[in-house]
Amino acid sequence: MLQGAEAYFEQAVSTLHLGDDMRALLLHPWRELTVAVPVRMDNGTFRVFTGYRVQHNAARGPYKGGVRYHPNADLDHTRALAMLMTWKGGLADIPFGGAKGGVVVNPGELSQSELNRLTRRYTNQIGHIIGVNRDIPAPDLGTNAQTMAWMMDAYGAVNGYTPGIVTGKPVELGGSLGREAAPGRGAALIGALAARDKGIDVTRASVAVQGFGQVGSWAARCIAEDGARVVALSDVHGGVHNSRGIDVPGAVEYYRANGRLTGLPNTEPISNDDLLAIECDILIPAAIEDVIHSGNADRIRARIVVEAANAPATLEGGRILEDRGIAVLPDILANAGGVIVSYFEWAQNIQEFRWDEQRVNQELRGFMNRAYGAVVEAMKRHSASHRTAAYSIAVARVERATRLRGFLGS
Ligand code: GLU
């Protein structure tokens, strides 16, 4: 994944003709922290987990990015995701740099009280490098609004009431209305815009969504609300298919009650692999990274791929799709809705003011439209793919801020 992130960056470096000094400055994370996270388990045993916080670049504002609880979290992985956040914030034109955190843990194996203790200890361990104007964590894979509530509480115990220290909090604690839906809502918006530009009316589009967590379920809901026909959905256990269209609100209810999609009435089962190969207008991979790779990219029959997950395509997989003429809307654009509404949440917290949901969604639409418009314009200017165009805009903005701050010493 780090290899992919660096390759996309290098492509932007050459598109923008950046010099070696700037290249080195933008490539290397500015700070990396590895911490021990000791936890007394419910059964009395003692475990020491490993945690990370990588702060990639803060030229445009405080570091910003999620915290992931996952058994595969490691330093390279966290570095890649931190770098993606720098470009995501740059492309969205919000005043943040990029960071990412992770703890090597399978959260499904821990009780709520173990997770609470782990989160507090992790927060204490990184407490000296985060802050409302330094670095603002948020949820990612394996973490959620509850995790953010614990982080806010642990940070506040030392520093005083500080809701703006994390975003993606519960609304009752200062979270923003519309934040939970935002990454999915933004991905649906990008899917509709890309469809329009391919001459497909979204109300006639067929859509397949892989992943039914917060991102995938909201992407499916929002694009169905726009009138698209959602023909396939999946979660970790497998998928469901109906070429005439799935009732998405019904699927949300079913998933809530059963913890899985399989068995959803009026659908046939389909594997996660086969879901990717379904013939449809828009494919939305919204689960995890690397699901589209050199081994299956040839099988994909969608006209548009909207990367709602971070890095769902490997470097090679993404290139095969582009070579086949499939429009790949890159993660730094497609899932930017999350960090955009995180920005609104942070701004509301700082101002001690609250926006209604309509305002959040309207502002989100404005930011996503502008980012998409800039990408399309840069595609024409550089005769480039969506991804290369997106990276060149983002890297140019971060480069400009870095230069203005005087990092190069001149
Ligand atoms: N984890 C999300 C992402 O990858 C959100 C980050 C944030 O809101 O800071 O974009």
Side-chain angles (χ1 to χ4, degrees):
M1 197 193 215
L2 185 60
Q3 204 189 359
E6 290 183 356
Y8 301 138
F9 166 71
E10 296 293 356
Q11 174 92 52
V13 167
S14 65
T15 306
L16 299 168
H17 306 293
L18 299 188
D20 287 346
D21 296 351
M22 185 52 85
R23 179 191 159 276
L25 188 48
L26 297 183
L27 182 62
H28 294 292
W30 289 5
R31 178 155 54 184
E32 302 181 340
L33 183 64
T34 302
V35 295
V37 187
V39 180
R40 176 69 62 191
M41 307 304 280
D42 292 347
N43 66 6
T45 59
F46 186 70
R47 285 177 68 181
V48 182
F49 298 90
T50 303
Y52 305 103
R53 186 73 182 166
V54 174
Q55 298 178 329
H56 175 254
N57 184 294
R60 290 172 42 86
Y63 299 103
K64 183 85 190 82
V67 175
R68 180 175 281 213
Y69 288 176
H70 198 274
N72 297 342
D74 64 24
L75 199 48
D76 270 354
H77 199 253
T78 314
R79 281 181 183 134
L81 291 164
M83 192 192 233
L84 279 190
M85 288 309 302
T86 302
W87 314 137
K88 206 181 286 187
L91 179 61
D93 210 4
I94 53 176
F96 290 137
K100 201 80 176 193
V103 178
V104 189
V105 58
N106 179 353
E109 286 173 359
L110 270 60
S111 69
Q112 284 300 103
S113 62
E114 287 166 343
L115 283 171
N116 184 343
R117 290 196 292 280
L118 174 131
T119 302
R120 286 171 190 284
R121 182 62 80 169
Y122 173 68
T123 308
N124 293 342
Q125 294 287 59
I126 65 166
H128 60 296
I129 63 163
I130 61 172
V132 180
N133 296 312
R134 293 182 188 281
D135 183 356
I136 306 122
D140 198 80
L141 270 186
T143 57
N144 54 28
Q146 176 62 73
T147 322
M148 295 304 111
W150 292 327
M151 286 192 87
M152 171 184 151
D153 190 65
Y155 187 84
V158 178
N159 300 282
Y161 176 67
T162 320
I165 184 60
V166 286
T167 58
K169 298 178 289 294
V171 172
E172 298 87 334
L173 295 180
S176 180
L177 293 165
R179 172 63 183 85
E180 192 193 301
R185 186 178 297 285
L189 277 170
I190 293 296
L193 290 169
R196 181 199 66 192
D197 287 351
K198 278 237 176 201
I200 307 166
D201 183 345
V202 72
T203 62
R204 289 170 192 278
S206 53
V207 181
V209 183
Q210 187 189 54
F212 211 64
Q214 267 175 31
V215 181
S217 63
W218 278 104
R221 257 153 106 163
C222 293
I223 207 151
E225 277 166 21
D226 285 345
R229 184 165 40 97
V230 175
V231 295
L233 295 170
S234 72
D235 59 43
V236 280
H237 306 289
V240 292
H241 176 229
N242 181 343
S243 53
R244 290 190 315 269
I246 296 171
D247 163 26
V248 180
V252 171
E253 283 301 308
Y254 183 90
Y255 184 80
R256 218 172 263 152
N258 298 287
R260 54 170 64 223
L261 286 163
T262 40
L264 180 70
N266 298 321
T267 62
E268 284 149 27
I270 186 172
S271 71
N272 261 302
D273 283 349
D274 288 343
L275 179 140
L276 292 174
I278 268 184
E279 185 161 359
C280 62
D281 295 307
I282 306 174
L283 171 65
I284 308 183
I288 44 163
E289 58 264 17
D290 296 346
V291 294
I292 299 172
H293 44 76
S294 56
N296 67 3
D298 276 329
R299 286 182 67 211
I300 285 170
R301 288 185 290 162
R303 296 170 70 188
I304 297 165
V305 173
V306 177
E307 293 189 340
N310 284 318
T314 63
L315 181 59
E316 189 57 24
R319 279 192 185 142
I320 293 171
L321 296 183
E322 285 173 3
D323 289 346
R324 293 181 52 219
I326 297 171
V328 182
L329 283 299
D331 44 13
I332 61 168
L333 173 65
N335 71 28
V339 74
I340 290 170
V341 177
S342 277
Y343 163 49
F344 303 159
E345 181 172 331
W346 178 77
Q348 290 172 74
N349 293 155
I350 287 173
Q351 294 171 37
E352 298 181 15
F353 190 75
R354 206 148 244 229
W355 299 2
D356 63 27
E357 195 166 353
Q358 203 189 346
R359 177 168 177 197
V360 171
N361 290 343
Q362 193 183 329
E363 290 279 352
L364 170 63
R365 183 178 290 272
F367 274 79
M368 296 299 294
N369 277 334
R370 283 192 294 280
Y372 180 82
V375 168
V376 170
E377 196 269 326
M379 279 173 81
K380 292 183 185 142
R381 189 157 26 96
H382 299 300
S383 314
S385 66
H386 287 92
R387 192 183 317 270
T388 303
Y391 268 75
S392 57
I393 296 164
V395 173
R397 288 190 182 145
V398 178
E399 187 267 345
R400 175 103 184 111
T402 306
R403 185 176 296 280
L404 285 168
R405 279 174 178 247
F407 272 95
L408 288 185
S410 59

